[in-house]
Amino acid sequence: MTDQTASLASFKGEDAQKKLRKRHRAERRFRMYGMAAIIFAVAFLIFLFGSIFSQGWSAFLQTSIKLPVDFSQEVINPSGNPADEEELFRANYVKLAREALYGQLGIDPKDRKVRRDANRLLSRGVDVQLRDMVLRDPSIIGTTQDVWLLASDNADALLKGSIDRATPSDRRQVSDQQIGWIDQLVDKGDMKKRFNTGLFVNGASSNPETAGLGVALIGSLFMMITVVLLAVPLGVCTALYLEEYAPKGKISDTIEVNINNLAAVPSIVFGLLGLAMFINFFGLPRSASLVGGLVLTLMTLPTIIITTRAAIRAVPPSIREAALGVGASKMQLIGHHILPLSLPGILTGTIIGLVQALGETAPLLMIGMVAFVVDYPSSPLDPATGLPVQIYMWAASAERGFVERTAGATMVLLAFLIVMNSLAVYLRNKFERKW
Amino acid sequence: MEDRPATTVEQPAGPKETGDAAPAGLGELKMKATDVNLWYGDKQALYDVNLDIFGQSVTSLIGPSGCGKSTFIRCLNRMNDVIDICRVQGDIRLDGEDIYAPDVDPVQLRARVGMVFQKPNPFPKSIYENVAYAPRLHGLCASKADMDEVVETSLIKAGLWEEVKDRLDQPGTGLSGGQQQRLCIARAISVNPEVLLMDEPCSALDPIATATIETLIDELKENLCIAIVTHSMQQAARVSQRTAFFHLGKLVEVNDTSTIFTNPSDQRTQDYVTGRFG
C-alpha cells in the first residue's frame, strides 16, 4: 500500500478528472441501455395492441338491415295451432325475410336473377333469428314487425370498407346492383352497423356474421372453475407440506426439482397426458371442458406450488419463533400466521397461474376441444371450446368476417387477462402487511 | 398435529443428587439441566452442560459469540425441536419433570416456559391481539371481560399499559423498538409462565429502552424464574443473581453474580469478565 498522501493526490489533477469523466460516461451509457430496452419493448407492445385493435374493433359492430317482416300465419303456422312447436321450428323463415327485403327494395320478385342478387344481402342466419323470435313469442304470428336482420358478410364488409368500391365489378364480391341497394337502404337509415351482441352470445357458425364466442366463454368459465377448485387447494396444501412438514432430504429435493421441471414442461405435453389419462384411461368424454379444466389444473399446479412456497418462505422467521414461543402448535402457527401473511403471494401466484391457463391453447387441441360447437354446454361434461381455441379456429378461416373476429376475440381474451392481472396487483397491495 | 420430536433423548441413570439445595437468597430449584450435549448435524455445539436455574431470581448466561448460550436456553423450552438437524442428549427437568420425556407436549411446555427473543417480534396484529393471542390459544379466558383483564394485567406488568391503553387496537408493529420488546414480554407473560427465557432481549434497543427493560426484569423476577442470555457483562451484573459463563460450548463456571465478576475460580472467566477476549 502506498502512503496516504500519495493516494489522496491521485484523486486530483488532470488524470483523475479524465478518469472521473470516463466513469460518468460509462454510468450514463449503462442507464441508456436499460432505457433503450424498455423503449424497444414498449414500442412492440404498442405495435401489437395497435394492430389487434385496428383490425378487431370492427368485430364489435355488425351490419343489420331493418325490414318490416310479415309473420304470415300461412307460412309459419298453417295448421293454426301455435302449440305445435315442430311446425314453428320447420317453417320457411328465409322466405319471410326475403319477401320483406324485396318489398323494401321495390324489386320484382318474379325476376330470378335480381332475386338471387338481393338474397345475397341477407345473412344465411336470418332464419334462425326469425325462428327464435317466433318461438320466444308465438303471438307475433300474423303481425308485421320491424326487425333488424343480419346482413351478409359481404354487405357487412362493404359497409366497413374492407371491400373497396373502386375494385372493378367483375373482381368484386358485391355487384354494382347490390351496392346500389345497399346505398339505398343506408340512405333511408334502414341499414347500419349496430353493436354486435352476437359476438358474445352466439356459438360456432360457418357464417362469420352469426359466429360468436358464447360457447368458448362458457367453456373457458367451466375450465377456470375446475382449475380454481382443484389447483388452489392441491397447490397450497402441497406447498405447505413441503415447506412446513416434509423432512429436508433427498426425497424432498427430488420432489422440488421435479416440480420446477414440471413448470417448464411444454403445455402440449400436458395435453397428451390428459388425452391418455382422462379420456383414454378414465373414459371421460372428448371435448369436455371438465377434461380441459383437469389438464389445465395439472399445468397450473407447479406455478401455484412454486409461488406459494416462495410466499411461505418470505414469512419472517421471527414471526414463526414468536408463535411457537407462546405455545402455538404447528397447525395454529400455519393457520394464524403463515397463511394470512403469505396470502397476498398465494393470491398473486394463483391468479397468474389462472391467467396462464386461460390463454393456453395447445393442450386443449389434444383433448378435442377444438370443435365446432353450436349449442351452449349445459355442464362441464358437454362439448365446448375455449377462448384461445376459438381464436385459433377463426384464424384458420378465410372469410373477411372471421379475420376481424379473430382480432376481436383476441381483444376479448386480452381484456380478461388484463383485468385478472390488475386484480392480482390490487389484491397483493390490499392484503400486504408490513412488519 | 405436532411434529414428531426431532430429538432423541437418552435417559441418564438418574438425576445427580448434588446442588439441589438453593443458595441463599434464591427461590427453589426450578430447572435442572444435567449432562446436556447438543449437535447440529455432525457439529457438537454443547458439551456436558450442567446448570441449575432457581426460582424468583435471574440467571444470566454470558460468554463470547457462538459459545452456545443461546443454543442452551432454547433447549429449555424445546425451541430447538423445530430445527431438523438438531439433536439433544441429556436430562433437562422442570420441577423435577423431564421435559424431553415422550409424553411431554412441547407446545404445552412452551406455554409454561415462555420466551422473549433478540429482535422484537410482535405479530402484525393489534396491540390487544398480540397479548390476547396466547391466552386465547390455550383457552384460558372464558369471557371478553376476562380477556380484557388479562391483557391489562400483562401490559401493566410489562410496564407498557400507560403508553398504549388508548390505542390497543393499533398495530403492535407501529410501536417503537423498546415498546415492541415490552409488548413481546407482555405477550410472553400473558399465560403466567413459570419460567421466562430471554435471548438477548436488549441487544436491538437503545440504552434508555434497555434500562426500562432491566427494571422490568427486576420486578418480574419476584414471581418468576428468569434466564437471560446477554452479551453485556454490565447487564448481567445489574440484573442477575447468578451468572453462568459459557465458552466453546462448555459451561465453564456458574456462581453468584458477584463472585463471577469479582472472584472467578476459572482463568477463562477471569479473562472474559475483565475484557481480555470476547
Side-chain angles (χ1 to χ4, degrees):
Chain A
M1 222 174 111
T2 53
D3 65 302
Q4 192 135 31
T5 39
S7 67
L8 270 178
S10 70
F11 285 111
K12 293 187 183 129
E14 189 55 32
D15 257 15
Q17 288 296 317
K18 228 187 210 160
K19 264 200 283 186
L20 194 66
R21 278 197 298 274
K22 192 176 160 200
R23 200 189 75 216
H24 285 174
R25 271 200 307 277
E27 302 265 353
R28 269 199 301 276
R29 247 190 342 263
F30 189 64
R31 248 180 61 158
M32 297 297 281
Y33 294 148
M35 273 168 64
I38 287 179
I39 291 171
F40 194 65
V42 169
F44 264 100
L45 195 68
I46 291 174
F47 177 74
L48 171 79
F49 278 16
S51 74
I52 290 174
F53 278 57
S54 63
Q55 270 187 48
W57 71 270
S58 57
F60 294 95
L61 297 173
Q62 191 67 43
T63 309
S64 298
I65 308 173
K66 188 169 90 177
L67 293 174
V69 178
D70 173 20
F71 290 91
S72 129
Q73 174 95 35
E74 222 174 293
V75 176
I76 303 174
N77 198 0
S79 70
N81 170 20
D84 186 356
E85 291 222 351
E86 179 73 19
E87 195 174 86
L88 298 186
F89 200 81
R90 286 170 181 271
N92 188 356
Y93 293 102
V94 179
K95 190 176 163 198
L96 298 179
R98 285 179 179 170
E99 275 170 0
L101 181 69
Y102 304 152
Q104 195 74 344
L105 295 174
I107 56 175
D108 176 13
K110 301 239 165 49
D111 186 336
R112 190 184 268 183
K113 190 179 169 310
V114 174
R115 220 170 58 198
R116 196 168 46 208
D117 260 7
N119 291 346
R120 291 209 180 120
L121 289 185
L122 283 174
S123 160
R124 267 178 286 178
V126 290
D127 54 340
V128 181
Q129 235 183 323
L130 290 175
R131 186 183 71 202
D132 287 352
M133 277 180 75
V134 171
L135 290 176
R136 213 179 304 131
D137 179 16
S139 69
I140 59 172
I141 297 171
T143 63
T144 301
Q145 308 261 342
D146 275 346
V147 183
W148 283 97
L149 289 173
L150 284 174
S152 70
D153 183 30
N154 283 338
D156 184 52
L158 185 84
L159 246 70
K160 285 173 179 166
S162 47
I163 290 181
D164 191 356
R165 287 164 189 252
T167 320
S169 61
D170 54 335
R171 297 217 317 256
R172 201 187 319 119
Q173 299 239 3
V174 189
S175 72
D176 290 338
Q177 181 162 42
Q178 285 172 327
I179 291 184
W181 286 329
I182 289 172
D183 289 343
Q184 183 191 335
L185 287 167
V186 170
D187 285 344
K188 276 199 286 177
D190 285 344
M191 184 171 185
K192 60 181 174 192
K193 291 179 280 186
R194 307 172 77 220
F195 182 72
N196 187 5
T197 37
L199 180 67
F200 298 98
V201 296
N202 290 348
S205 168
S206 47
N207 307 318
E209 64 273 14
T210 53
L213 290 170
V215 172
L217 284 173
I218 292 184
S220 278
L221 178 72
F222 280 151
M223 288 192 281
M224 288 304 106
I225 292 174
T226 317
V227 173
V228 170
L229 290 183
L230 289 175
V232 174
L234 278 177
V236 172
C237 288
T238 309
L240 272 178
Y241 180 79
L242 287 177
E243 276 304 309
E244 297 294 328
Y245 291 101
K248 305 277 171 283
K250 282 224 172 67
I251 299 176
S252 67
D253 282 354
T254 316
I255 293 177
E256 170 149 17
V257 168
N258 277 304
I259 288 173
N260 290 338
N261 281 342
L262 276 183
V265 165
S267 54
I268 195 152
V269 177
F270 285 102
L272 284 169
L273 173 75
L275 177 66
M277 192 161 93
F278 299 123
I279 295 180
N280 291 346
F281 187 74
F282 289 117
L284 290 172
R286 219 165 255 275
S287 309
S289 41
L290 176 67
V291 180
L294 290 171
V295 169
L296 294 180
T297 300
L298 293 181
M299 222 196 68
T300 317
L301 262 179
T303 313
I304 294 186
I305 294 173
I306 290 169
T307 48
T308 305
R309 289 187 71 175
I312 292 172
R313 237 173 287 158
V315 174
S318 63
I319 296 290
R320 245 169 240 278
E321 285 190 327
L324 291 174
V326 295
S329 71
K330 196 117 191 185
M331 204 177 93
Q332 288 163 334
L333 166 68
I334 292 171
H336 299 164
H337 302 284
I338 307 265
L339 271 185
L341 289 178
S342 52
L343 191 65
I346 296 176
L347 280 177
T348 314
T350 304
I351 294 176
I352 288 175
L354 282 183
V355 168
Q356 243 178 29
L358 181 66
E360 200 53 72
T361 324
L364 303 185
L365 303 182
M366 300 310 298
I367 55 160
M369 285 192 78
V370 49
F372 190 86
V373 184
V374 180
D375 296 321
Y376 278 13
S378 57
S379 80
L381 286 169
D382 292 337
T385 58
L387 264 182
V389 184
Q390 193 63 63
I391 293 171
Y392 169 81
M393 287 194 288
W394 283 350
S397 307
E399 286 91 341
R400 280 194 189 78
F402 281 127
V403 175
E404 64 173 23
R405 272 176 157 70
T406 306
T410 311
M411 282 165 68
V412 173
L413 181 63
L414 281 177
F416 273 110
L417 302 187
I418 289 170
V419 166
M420 286 167 78
N421 273 326
S422 319
L423 187 72
V425 173
Y426 170 76
L427 288 175
R428 189 173 55 211
N429 291 338
K430 184 174 154 68
F431 289 113
E432 198 157 49
R433 283 229 172 89
K434 308 272 179 277
W435 48 67
Chain B
M1 197 188 86
E2 179 53 29
D3 48 352
R4 70 270 162 303
T7 52
T8 55
V9 178
E10 286 170 22
Q11 299 288 340
K16 293 190 176 166
E17 292 303 319
T18 52
D20 277 14
L26 304 178
E28 65 203 3
L29 179 68
K30 194 71 195 170
M31 293 197 86
K32 182 174 181 64
T34 315
D35 295 332
V36 173
N37 288 283
L38 182 142
W39 290 264
Y40 289 120
D42 297 334
K43 192 176 159 287
Q44 187 161 7
L46 290 178
Y47 299 86
D48 296 323
V49 175
N50 290 288
L51 181 63
D52 296 343
I53 298 171
F54 295 94
Q56 280 98 56
S57 68
V58 180
T59 305
S60 62
L61 281 64
I62 60 170
S65 295
C67 68
K69 54 196 191 301
S70 285
T71 301
F72 176 73
I73 207 177
R74 292 167 68 98
C75 291
L76 299 179
N77 67 345
R78 294 183 61 173
M79 278 298 278
N80 284 329
D81 282 19
V82 296
I83 303 170
D84 275 343
I85 56 167
C86 179
R87 197 157 54 86
V88 183
Q89 203 181 71
D91 184 65
I92 300 174
R93 284 170 188 270
L94 170 64
D95 286 340
E97 179 193 341
D98 181 7
I99 63 168
Y100 279 90
D103 59 335
V104 169
D105 180 28
V107 171
Q108 235 165 37
L109 174 74
R110 287 180 204 135
R112 290 174 66 193
V113 183
M115 189 155 192
V116 175
F117 298 86
Q118 182 169 3
K119 204 182 130 215
N121 55 358
F123 299 128
K125 298 172 187 274
S126 71
I127 294 170
Y128 183 95
E129 283 303 315
N130 261 286
V131 183
Y133 181 70
R136 187 172 297 147
L137 210 57
H138 300 287
L140 299 184
C141 294
S143 68
K144 174 90 172 77
D146 280 2
M147 185 62 86
D148 289 348
E149 201 187 316
V150 166
V151 170
E152 186 178 340
T153 347
S154 309
L155 283 170
I156 288 173
K157 277 196 219 157
L160 194 60
W161 176 251
E162 286 305 318
E163 291 158 63
V164 300
K165 65 180 174 192
D166 301 324
R167 45 174 175 151
L168 289 176
D169 56 340
Q170 285 181 19
T173 41
L175 298 171
S176 75
Q179 289 173 324
Q180 285 189 19
Q181 193 62 298
R182 277 180 282 151
L183 178 62
C184 293
I185 294 176
R187 183 177 65 195
I189 59 180
S190 63
V191 286
N192 278 323
E194 300 159 41
V195 181
L196 187 62
L197 308 174
M198 305 179 107
D199 190 357
E200 296 183 38
C202 301
S203 63
L205 304 182
D206 65 68
I208 295 170
T210 303
T212 318
I213 303 253
E214 283 177 7
T215 318
L216 178 60
I217 293 173
D218 213 44
E219 287 164 11
L220 287 174
K221 77 157 196 288
E222 298 308 322
N223 306 305
L224 207 59
C225 163
I226 295 179
I228 177 171
V229 168
T230 176
H231 256 123
S232 148
M233 280 172 283
Q234 290 84 346
Q235 185 171 61
R238 281 194 300 262
V239 300
S240 69
Q241 284 72 53
R242 273 165 65 83
T243 296
F245 173 62
F246 280 74
H247 186 51
L248 299 174
K250 294 191 178 80
L251 174 62
V252 174
E253 190 174 351
V254 54
N255 214 325
D256 289 348
T257 299
S258 53
T259 317
I260 290 280
F261 282 99
T262 54
N263 189 19
S265 53
D266 194 286
Q267 186 58 39
R268 287 169 293 179
T269 318
Q270 170 86 39
D271 289 348
Y272 184 72
V273 298
T274 52
R276 288 219 193 114
F277 76 98

